[in-house]
Amino acid sequence: MKFDEAKQILEKYNQEHILKSYKRLNEEYKEKLINQILRIDFEQILNLYEKTKVPVEFKNSKIEPIPAIDSAKLSDEEREKYTKLGEEILKSGKHAAVTMAGGQGTRLGHNGPKGTFDLGLPSHKSLFEILCDGLKKTWDKYGAIIPWYIMTSRENNDEATRKFFEENNYFGYPKENIMFFKQGELPMIGDDGKIILDESGLIKEAADGHGGVFESIYKNGALEDMKKRGIEWVFIGGVDNVLVKMADPIFIGFVADNNYKVASKTIVKGYPEEKVGVFCKKDDKPYVIEYTEISEEMANKKNTEGELVYSEAHMLLNMFNIEILEEIANEKLPYHSAYKKASYMDDDGKIINPETPNAYKFETFLFDAFGLVQDVGLYRGKREEDFSPVKNASGVDSPETARRDYIKYHNL
Ligand code: UTP
């Protein structure tokens, strides 16, 4: 019954090859494959394959910079006012943190969830433990236990993440305040428009990008949990920045005092070619223009003081008001495609490990949510205090640079 239904769906969408491996599967996997076919929205995924390969067009758009408040230039009164307000928010239990840890970490090449990576500090702390240390400091200082929500993905091994926390006794943080939730996934499609299979013969699905955080905090009950706890402000960040402050009083106070629904702590771009996305307004809406999209002219444009006009880099250090989070979760973000190397099972059941990219992965980006609000408050932080990520195995943004910056910042 279910098999026939699945077969019909595949015929309709020209994807019959998916069932070629069916005979080779055991009963459990047969069932899994059929359930996948019945669950997947083929109309949507094939539409994405057709439509997302075109680059974003800026020719006819109005592009303007968004000014940021420079934290280094705040007056003593402002500094005090924001810090006090932020501390009150923390102490009254209205702040939560979300860590997006569902990425593949392909550039780093670590075997396992990226948060479990030991960057070689004398303490051998993992990225997860480094992040948790920040929350423990807030707990020590203000008596505030910040609820911590961790986004994982199936492909990146949700189970391994949970196990790692358990084995490490949740790094001494009260475990009822750490919640894990899985992000969504979408099938991957090969060059020929055919969905590919994974090594076990099931449809190969990949995490749907960091923009998936909004839908998944909603669908998995994390947002509901925050509301129950009386949370008003939510920090959402990545897993790989060793200097991240998930509960920074002055930034929280800045956001709350200015009534921003969404705000971002930026870092000023180091040089015009730096591979970071920068904030701008595109047709009057906040937008992050990726380094792959920005024109040379725009990247190099300077103001009369000789500073880059488009220099406020988005580093995934964002704050959201809980109400806007719910609204964003109910909106559809645009999808982007990325052409990736993906191992797969061919029609004869052979596992292929390609040397070059061979399949499309579909993702939404967190920063596309900024266009849903009129204003994003920008607060310029400091690179040496706020941002040092582990992205690559060596060179820039690597364990070596993160180690150096972490040791310097913490005076070790
Ligand atoms: P990146 O885009 O830097 O990706 O993610 P990555 O997985 O760390 O590394 P590469 O590009 O594969 O080498 C920025 C943050 O967003 C999270 C990542 O875990 C990281 O914290 N992320 C990304 C997700 O949680 N889910 C995704 O689908 C993508």
Side-chain angles (χ1 to χ4, degrees), residues 200-218:
S200 58
L202 298 177
I203 289 175
K204 182 150 186 140
E205 295 190 79
D208 61 0
H210 43 58
V213 69
F214 302 108
E215 195 175 303
S216 56
I217 50 168
Y218 183 70

Side-chain angles (χ1 to χ4, degrees), residues 74-87:
L74 292 176
S75 65
D76 288 346
E77 292 80 58
E78 283 170 320
R79 200 172 287 283
E80 200 178 310
K81 176 176 74 170
Y82 293 151
T83 306
K84 213 167 144 235
L85 179 56
E87 287 176 344

